[in-house]
C-alpha cells in the first residue's frame, strides 16, 4: 500500500492541481461577462456558475492536496505535526467550501454562506502557515533542501496576500477584493505545485535507482559467468 501511495500520489497531486487551475480559469469566463473579476470573489463567481465548474475545481484541488499529503508522508518528507494538520485543514476546508456555496451577489449571508466564509478563511490561512513551518524542516532535509527557498518565497507571498485580503475585506470595503483573492490563491497553488513537482521528481529518481538496483545483480552474474 505504501509503495502504491509513493508511486501514484505525486502524479495524482500534480494532475489535480493542473486540472483545478484550468477549471477555475474556465469558470471565471463562463458565468457572466458583466461580473468584474477585480471586485468579485471566486466564491461569488462560483455561485453564478450554473455548470459548477468552479466548485468541481475546488473539490478536485482539495482531493489533490490530500493526495499530496499522503505522498509526502509516504516518501518520508518532514511534514509530521503541525504542517500535516494544517495541510489537512486546507484540504478539508476546500472540499467543504465546494459543497456548501455562498449566497448570490447582493443577498444577505445565510447559515450556509457563513459556513462557506469560515472554511474559506481556514483554507487561506492554513496553507501559508504550513509552508512557513515546513521551510526550516525542508532546509535540514537533504532530499528537500533544494526547494526550501522556493517554498519560503511562495509562503511569504501567501502571508502578504493574507494581510492584503484582511485589509481589503475589513477597512478597505472590498475594493479590488477579487484581484487580491486571486493573487493569494495563486501563491497558495504555487506552494502546492512546488511541493508536488519536487515529490514527482524524487519519486522518479527513486524509481530509476530501484531499477538499477534490480538489474545490477543480473548484469553482475552475466559478467561473472563469462569470466
Amino acid at each position: 500500500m505504501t509503495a502504491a501511495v509513493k508511486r501514484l500520489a505525486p502524479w495524482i497531486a500534480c494532475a489535480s492541481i493542473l486540472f483545478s487551475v484550468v477549471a477555475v480559469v474556465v469558470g471565471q469566463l463562463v458565468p457572466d461577462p458583466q461580473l468584474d473579476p477585480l471586485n468579485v470573489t471566486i466564491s461569488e463567481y462560483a455561485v453564478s456558475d450554473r455548470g459548477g465548474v468552479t466548485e468541481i475545481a475546488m473539490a478536485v484541488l482539495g482531493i489533490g492536496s490530500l493526495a499530496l499529503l499522503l505522498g509526502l508522508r509516504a516518501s518520508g518528507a518532514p511534514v509530521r505535526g503541525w504542517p500535516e494538520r494544517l495541510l489537512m485543514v486546507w484540504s478539508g476546508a476546500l472540499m467543504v467550501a465546494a459543497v456548501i456555496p455562498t449566497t448570490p451577489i447582493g443577498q444577505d449571508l445565510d447559515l450556509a454562506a457563513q459556513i462557506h466564509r469560515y472554511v474559506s478563511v481556514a483554507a487561506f490561512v492554513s496553507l501559508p502557515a504550513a509552508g512557513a513551518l515546513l521551510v526550516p524542516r525542508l532546509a535540514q532535509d537533504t532530499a528537500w533542501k533544494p526547494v526550501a527557498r522556493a517554498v519560503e518565497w511562495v509562503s511569504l507571498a501567501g502571508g502578504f496576500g493574507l494581510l492584503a485580503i484582511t485589509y481589503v475585506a475589513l477597512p478597505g470595503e472590498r475594493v479590488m477584493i477579487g484581484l487580491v483573492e486571486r493573487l493569494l490563491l495563486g501563491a497558495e497553488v504555487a506552494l502546492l505545485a512546488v511541493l508536488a513537482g519536487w515529490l514527482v521528481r524524487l519519486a522518479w529518481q527513486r524509481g530509476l535507482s530501484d531499477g538499477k538496483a534490480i538489474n545490477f545483480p543480473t548484469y553482475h552474474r552475466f559478467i561473472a559467468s563469462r569470466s
Side-chain angles (χ1 to χ4, degrees):
M1 182 65 179
T2 302
V5 172
K6 282 184 179 179
R7 185 169 59 254
L8 297 177
W11 298 101
I12 293 173
C14 285
S16 300
I17 293 168
L18 179 60
F19 172 86
S20 299
V21 170
V22 173
V24 165
V25 172
V26 171
Q28 305 297 290
L29 301 176
V30 170
D32 188 343
Q34 302 303 318
L35 295 176
D36 182 5
L38 298 181
N39 293 295
V40 175
T41 66
I42 293 174
S43 295
E44 290 168 338
Y45 256 88
V47 79
S48 302
D49 180 7
R50 301 293 180 254
V53 175
T54 304
E55 288 93 338
I56 292 172
M58 293 167 62
V60 170
L61 185 59
I63 294 170
S65 300
L66 187 59
L68 172 60
L69 176 58
L70 293 175
L72 291 171
R73 289 184 56 180
S75 68
V79 296
R80 299 286 181 174
W82 275 108
E84 177 183 43
R85 296 186 190 104
L86 290 168
L87 283 169
M88 291 180 67
V89 170
W90 158 264
S91 302
L94 277 181
M95 288 185 276
V96 172
V99 174
I100 303 178
T102 188
T103 54
I105 300 172
Q107 295 187 15
D108 294 333
L109 296 181
D110 56 14
L111 178 59
Q114 291 177 3
I115 294 173
H116 180 94
R117 170 177 288 183
Y118 290 133
V119 296
S120 297
V121 170
F124 280 135
V125 171
S126 60
L127 193 57
L133 292 174
L134 277 174
V135 170
R137 299 184 182 200
L138 299 180
Q140 296 174 3
D141 188 287
T142 303
W144 286 89
K145 186 175 181 179
V147 293
R149 182 57 61 86
V151 171
E152 181 179 15
W153 279 108
V154 291
S155 298
L156 281 172
F160 284 123
L162 282 174
L163 293 176
I165 200 168
T166 301
Y167 173 79
V168 168
L170 296 175
E173 300 181 350
R174 292 176 54 94
V175 175
M176 304 290 282
I177 192 171
L179 175 62
V180 174
E181 185 191 53
R182 283 160 179 78
L183 292 175
L184 170 58
L185 183 60
E188 298 195 337
V189 172
L191 173 57
L192 295 174
V194 169
L195 294 174
W198 193 254
L199 187 61
V200 165
R201 174 176 176 142
L202 292 178
W204 182 265
Q205 288 177 339
R206 290 189 184 111
L208 292 177
S209 299
D210 291 343
K212 291 178 182 178
I214 292 171
N215 293 331
F216 176 75
T218 303
Y219 176 77
H220 179 73
R221 285 194 297 270
F222 175 80
I223 296 297
S225 65
R226 296 296 188 274
S227 60

